[in-house]
Amino acid sequence: MADSRAAADTIRILVATDSHVGYNERDPIRGDDSWKSFHEVMSLAKEQDVDMVLLAGDLFHENKPSRKSMYQVMRSLRMNCYGEKPCELEMLSDSSENFQGAFGHANYQDPDINVAIPVFSIHGNHDDPSGEGHLAALDLLQISGLVNYYGRTPESDNILVKPVLLQKGQTKLALYGMSNVRDERLFRTFRDGKVKFYQPGTQKHDWFNLMSVHQNHHAYTETGYLPENFLPEFLDLVVWGHEHECLIDPRYNPEMNFHVMQPGSSVATSLMPGEAVPKHVGILSITGREFKVETVRLKTVRPFVMKEIVLSEDKKAKAMAKKDNRGELTRHLISIVDGLIEEAKAEWLEAQDEVDQDEDSEIPLPLIRLRVEYSAPDGGNFDCENPQRFSNRFVGKVANVNDVVQFYRKKAGVTRKMQNGAELPEESVMAQMSLDSVKVEKLVRDFLTAQSLTILPQNSFGDAVSQFVDKDDKHAMEMFVSESLANQMKHLMDVDHFDEEELQAAMDQYKSQLEDLFAAGHLKRAKKAKLKPKPDMWDSDLDGEWGDQPGALILSDVENAEEEEEETPVHSGPKRRGRGGTNRNTTRTRKAPAAKTGRGKKKAVEEEIEEDNDVVMDDSNEEESALFVKPEPVARGNKRGVPAKETNPTSRRAPARATAGTGTRQSKLNFSQPASQLSQSNGKGKFIREASVEQISDDEDAFEPAPTTRSARSRA
């Protein structure tokens, strides 16, 4: 009887993070690892009959997941979260404030769908919102009724954290969430006191305060992490995402008086020591203000074993140092790798239940990483085989057939120099540097500290590289270099007069100003690049995404102005005298020069819209509603009273007579050419004399010459 009462007051939560669905999905061996592990996590939720699932970011590996990844996630959620069992969680807070979207309530509150196990998730740095509308992949899952997307951070410089209030029996849960924000900016926002946490208005001491975050947990740089003492003291438990090492057991922080648990990732995305730790998820049980965590090891995770050896300290290898040892050394390393493979198989079998172990059960190919420090003693030498060739010896035995071994040499106190005198880190440091273990900005800063960059700001350069690597933004570097060159040229042109000797100083000064502005958070890179129109014959399935092509990006203002000119297809009616037979299908016309005067205003409006899209601003005077803002839909080009641009010129087709008689600024549609052009091109002057007045445009510039038309078509 007591157990049933305790169960009625206990909220059971499956806690997981960093599923990275879609990681390495094109790999023929490891392509399905990420979604299989996620499916196991969701199956555990149904098997354990939990009340809810809490995901702390990076559900997807990319912010634009593939259709396969989206399909597998939606499949797993629907298979395990829908059901006839009623959800016993009572929503006490205003759902419209917690979950922004078209419906404004949690999915299990929807009368049209039966959700047995609701999933609550924040976004991470891999699946963050981007693009037009500032939507994330989680928005698609939320609008589909599969996930409750909470903890949004629309303003990274003014963050308001309001909890989702849930109750089951006598247990009250205040669920806080803060989605990923760039670590340096979040550090500055906390330091400036621009992060505010809300608490329930009544019975504050009766609530269990649970929070999920997705930030760096360790100080990789001075400000590139979230210190635990930045979080409020009233929290009881913090679920920490983003770090992949599994430290699932809650650790008590005596300074802040709360516990921290780090579930880690469910799939290995790098061959680092932290990823070799066995993967677990946690079943969190909350009764009143007390909690306990039951850990469950994941069984479908591909086994991963890592080892590091120093040849100068290895007995067998040390004996080979003073002779021709390539063959013998290679055989020695092969024996070590073979031992690691057997160790990985035994580890996988140990993780399986006896019921699951079949005689015919297939053990997945393991991940093996052997790091070899091959510095030889004085007078000796270790002749190591090419790492690629060595790794290929294990095809059919391991999953990572290209990077089984990593050779590096340690030289204490010795640094390498580049041709321009810039010093590089030691080789041992270089060997440990990885895009998965070190932030890209730190790598860029380490390599460019001694460089002489004249035009490109260093910190903005690191941000662009990070966008290219982490967000798969293929145009990030191209846009950054183009914008930097254009800004530097504009700055130099604005200077009244300066000597040639002062040119370098002026460029250095302007570059320093840009670096200071970026460090202060006042300089932001445009989030969305402008693309040229996709050609009509372009097939995205065969040719790839048009936005990923190098020629699709508009780099200069000249190209931007050319692409803004309208192309209006006009169907030619019955053939008339003076029209000729060359315009039977369609004719493309550009705007008349009179309309060019508004082009500058139009560009200014577009730039203003892009700048406003960086953050979501709220002008409300009510402090309570400041966090959960429903931004009003803003039509492109129609903002702050500016007249809207006609979005579809083809919807306003009209005969040539009606167009010629209008008094607007729109280009006149005519099918004749000036006499000078016809007489010079084809000599058919009689057609001009017989043409009616209505067929001849008074604006000679309204019709585009043939060569320009062909070039415009080729660009399209």
Side-chain angles (χ1 to χ4, degrees):
M1 195 71 172
D3 293 341
S4 61
R5 289 182 179 177
D9 296 333
T10 301
I11 301 177
R12 303 182 73 244
I13 307 172
L14 187 142
V15 181
T17 183
D18 292 272
S19 298
H20 285 275
V21 177
Y23 170 75
N24 214 6
E25 62 181 344
R26 297 184 183 276
D27 189 281
I29 301 176
R30 306 165 61 187
D32 295 336
D33 288 1
S34 58
W35 69 261
K36 285 182 177 178
S37 297
F38 175 74
H39 183 66
E40 181 187 2
V41 172
M42 299 312 301
S43 299
L44 280 172
K46 185 176 182 179
E47 177 186 332
Q48 296 288 336
D49 193 24
V50 298
D51 295 303
M52 58 177 281
V53 176
L54 179 61
L55 304 177
D58 279 355
L59 171 58
F60 294 99
H61 186 67
E62 299 178 356
N63 60 3
K64 294 184 290 185
S66 65
R67 280 173 286 188
K68 178 183 176 182
S69 299
M70 184 64 72
Y71 168 81
Q72 295 294 351
V73 169
M74 298 178 76
R75 168 180 168 270
S76 297
L77 291 172
R78 184 166 180 176
M79 288 177 61
N80 298 287
C81 296
Y82 283 6
E84 297 181 356
K85 186 195 79 168
C87 180
E88 300 182 27
L89 298 176
E90 180 183 0
M91 180 71 64
L92 301 182
S93 57
D94 189 352
S95 300
S96 61
E97 294 182 349
N98 297 126
F99 312 108
Q100 302 177 21
F103 299 103
H105 55 69
N107 61 348
Y108 71 91
Q109 295 177 302
D110 196 318
D112 298 325
I113 53 178
N114 292 328
V115 177
I117 304 176
V119 177
F120 295 83
S121 178
I122 62 175
H123 75 249
N125 60 309
H126 281 264
D127 54 2
D128 58 337
S130 64
E132 186 174 359
H134 204 61
L135 298 175
L138 292 177
D139 284 297
L140 302 181
L141 297 179
Q142 176 169 273
I143 206 68
S144 303
L146 296 171
V147 163
N148 299 298
Y149 177 21
Y150 81 111
R152 303 170 189 249
T153 52
E155 300 181 47
S156 56
D157 295 330
N158 184 27
I159 300 176
L160 304 175
V161 185
K162 198 169 187 178
V164 179
L165 303 181
L166 303 170
Q167 182 173 357
K168 179 183 177 183
Q170 300 298 320
T171 300
K172 297 179 174 65
L173 173 64
L175 179 61
Y176 294 84
M178 185 171 61
S179 295
N180 177 264
V181 179
R182 191 166 179 262
D183 290 295
E184 290 78 7
R185 176 167 291 181
L186 183 63
F187 190 97
R188 183 174 62 251
T189 305
F190 267 102
R191 184 189 58 196
D192 297 342
K194 296 296 183 65
V195 181
K196 183 176 181 180
F197 287 81
Y198 289 83
Q199 288 185 265
T202 58
Q203 300 176 338
K204 293 184 179 180
H205 300 288
D206 294 340
W207 293 85
F208 184 88
N209 300 292
L210 172 64
M211 183 171 184
S212 60
V213 298
H214 192 96
Q215 304 292 149
N216 280 337
H217 202 178
H218 307 289
Y220 296 105
T221 60
E222 185 177 353
T223 61
Y225 74 112
L226 175 61
E228 292 183 4
N229 56 12
F230 277 10
L231 299 176
E233 296 182 357
F234 65 79
L235 295 176
D236 296 298
L237 178 63
V238 179
V239 178
W240 210 289
H242 186 62
E243 299 289 351
H244 284 204
E245 183 178 3
C246 182
L247 303 174
I248 193 78
D249 295 324
R251 175 184 54 82
Y252 179 68
N253 185 331
E255 178 186 358
M256 303 305 299
N257 196 29
F258 57 63
H259 288 78
V260 179
M261 65 181 297
Q262 182 177 301
S265 66
S266 58
V267 62
T269 60
S270 62
L271 302 180
M272 301 296 295
E275 297 277 16
V277 180
K279 307 291 187 182
H280 294 78
V281 295
I283 307 295
L284 173 64
S285 300
I286 303 173
T287 306
R289 295 295 302 275
E290 303 295 329
F291 76 94
K292 64 178 181 179
V293 177
E294 175 188 354
T295 61
V296 180
R297 182 169 179 177
L298 299 178
K299 304 173 185 177
T300 59
V301 178
R302 188 177 296 275
F304 173 32
V305 176
M306 183 174 180
K307 184 177 182 179
E308 182 171 359
I309 63 171
V310 180
L311 293 182
S312 59
E313 299 176 0
D314 185 270
K315 293 183 179 179
K316 292 184 178 180
K318 196 173 183 180
M320 312 174 192
K322 296 185 179 181
K323 57 182 178 179
D324 186 10
N325 52 23
R326 168 169 288 197
E328 191 175 354
L329 180 60
T330 300
R331 286 190 294 272
H332 175 59
L333 296 179
I334 289 176
S335 64
I336 295 178
V337 173
D338 288 336
L340 295 178
I341 294 175
E342 295 301 322
E343 180 181 345
K345 291 180 179 180
E347 181 180 314
W348 189 85
L349 292 173
E350 180 184 353
Q352 310 304 309
D353 292 334
E354 295 182 0
V355 180
D356 298 334
Q357 292 184 16
D358 248 338
E359 294 182 358
D360 299 333
S361 61
E362 183 179 357
I363 301 177
L365 298 179
L367 296 171
I368 302 296
R369 168 54 64 92
L370 177 64
R371 297 188 74 241
V372 180
E373 200 282 313
Y374 65 102
S375 299
D378 295 340
N381 179 46
F382 290 117
D383 189 6
C384 299
E385 190 178 31
N386 178 274
Q388 178 80 28
R389 185 182 306 166
F390 180 87
S391 300
N392 291 155
R393 293 175 179 271
F394 301 95
V395 173
K397 296 182 179 180
V398 299
N400 55 319
V401 295
N402 294 320
D403 50 6
V404 172
V405 68
Q406 180 186 25
F407 295 109
Y408 71 97
R409 177 175 293 175
K410 184 177 180 180
K411 293 184 178 180
V414 179
T415 58
R416 295 185 297 165
K417 292 187 177 182
M418 299 179 66
Q419 294 180 355
N420 59 357
E423 294 186 354
L424 295 178
E426 298 179 5
E427 290 190 5
S428 59
V429 178
M430 292 283 294
Q432 297 177 2
M433 283 188 175
S434 169
L435 294 180
D436 296 300
S437 61
V438 183
K439 289 184 68 65
V440 177
E441 293 91 338
K442 185 177 185 299
L443 288 175
V444 174
R445 185 174 64 253
D446 291 343
F447 280 100
L448 298 183
T449 299
Q451 309 299 318
S452 57
L453 291 180
T454 305
I455 298 177
L456 304 180
Q458 179 174 308
N459 47 11
S460 303
F461 188 93
D463 181 68
V465 176
S466 177
Q467 293 289 332
F468 177 79
V469 175
D470 296 336
K471 305 299 174 57
D472 196 25
D473 187 351
K474 296 178 175 57
H475 300 300
M477 295 300 301
E478 193 175 3
M479 286 291 296
F480 166 70
V481 175
S482 177
E483 290 178 3
S484 299
L485 294 176
N487 291 336
Q488 186 68 264
M489 290 293 296
K490 182 179 178 181
H491 170 70
L492 295 178
M493 294 296 292
D494 292 340
V495 178
D496 293 337
H497 35 235
F498 56 84
D499 298 334
E500 294 184 0
E501 299 177 354
E502 300 175 353
L503 178 63
Q504 183 66 35
M507 296 174 67
D508 292 340
Q509 181 180 2
Y510 183 67
K511 181 176 73 74
S512 301
Q513 292 177 0
L514 293 180
E515 292 177 346
D516 295 339
L517 288 174
F518 185 86
H522 301 307
L523 184 64
K524 300 177 182 177
R525 186 178 61 83
K527 289 191 174 182
K528 185 179 180 183
K530 293 184 178 181
L531 302 178
K532 299 176 182 178
K534 185 171 67 173
D536 295 336
M537 302 302 295
W538 188 270
D539 190 340
S540 299
D541 293 332
L542 298 178
D543 304 326
E545 290 293 334
W546 170 246
D548 296 340
Q549 308 304 314
L553 186 65
I554 298 177
L555 296 177
S556 64
D557 294 338
V558 176
E559 292 183 10
N560 187 22
E562 291 177 353
E563 294 302 329
E564 285 180 352
E565 295 175 345
E566 295 180 348
E567 295 181 350
T568 309
V570 178
H571 296 282
S572 60
K575 183 176 180 181
R576 299 187 182 184
R577 297 183 65 187
R579 183 174 299 180
T582 58
N583 296 326
R584 292 192 58 85
N585 296 326
T586 58
T587 302
R588 298 186 179 182
T589 61
R590 289 188 177 180
K591 289 184 178 180
K596 294 182 180 179
T597 57
R599 186 175 300 161
K601 295 181 181 179
K602 180 179 178 183
K603 287 177 60 180
V605 172
E606 291 181 353
E607 292 176 359
E608 186 177 7
I609 292 174
E610 286 185 1
E611 181 179 355
D612 290 345
N613 282 341
D614 288 341
V615 294
V616 179
M617 302 300 294
D618 176 32
D619 296 332
S620 175
N621 294 325
E622 296 181 5
E623 189 177 11
E624 290 290 330
S625 61
L627 173 60
F628 304 90
V629 181
K630 293 184 178 180
E632 297 181 359
V634 179
R636 181 175 294 277
N638 188 13
K639 191 180 180 80
R640 300 184 181 178
V642 181
K645 174 185 173 183
E646 293 184 7
T647 57
N648 190 2
T650 60
S651 63
R652 296 183 176 267
R653 296 192 182 115
R657 292 179 182 269
T659 308
T662 57
T664 61
R665 288 188 176 185
Q666 187 166 348
S667 303
K668 299 179 181 180
L669 304 181
N670 66 85
F671 302 92
S672 63
Q673 296 184 3
S676 59
Q677 295 181 5
L678 281 177
S679 61
Q680 293 175 8
S681 60
N682 52 22
K684 296 181 180 180
K686 60 181 181 180
F687 290 102
I688 301 174
R689 290 192 297 271
E690 295 176 1
S692 63
V693 177
E694 293 177 347
Q695 293 173 337
I696 300 178
S697 171
D698 294 332
D699 190 353
E700 295 181 356
D701 293 335
F703 195 87
E704 181 181 3
T708 311
T709 304
R710 287 195 297 269
S711 62
R713 290 179 180 175
S714 64
R715 285 194 306 272

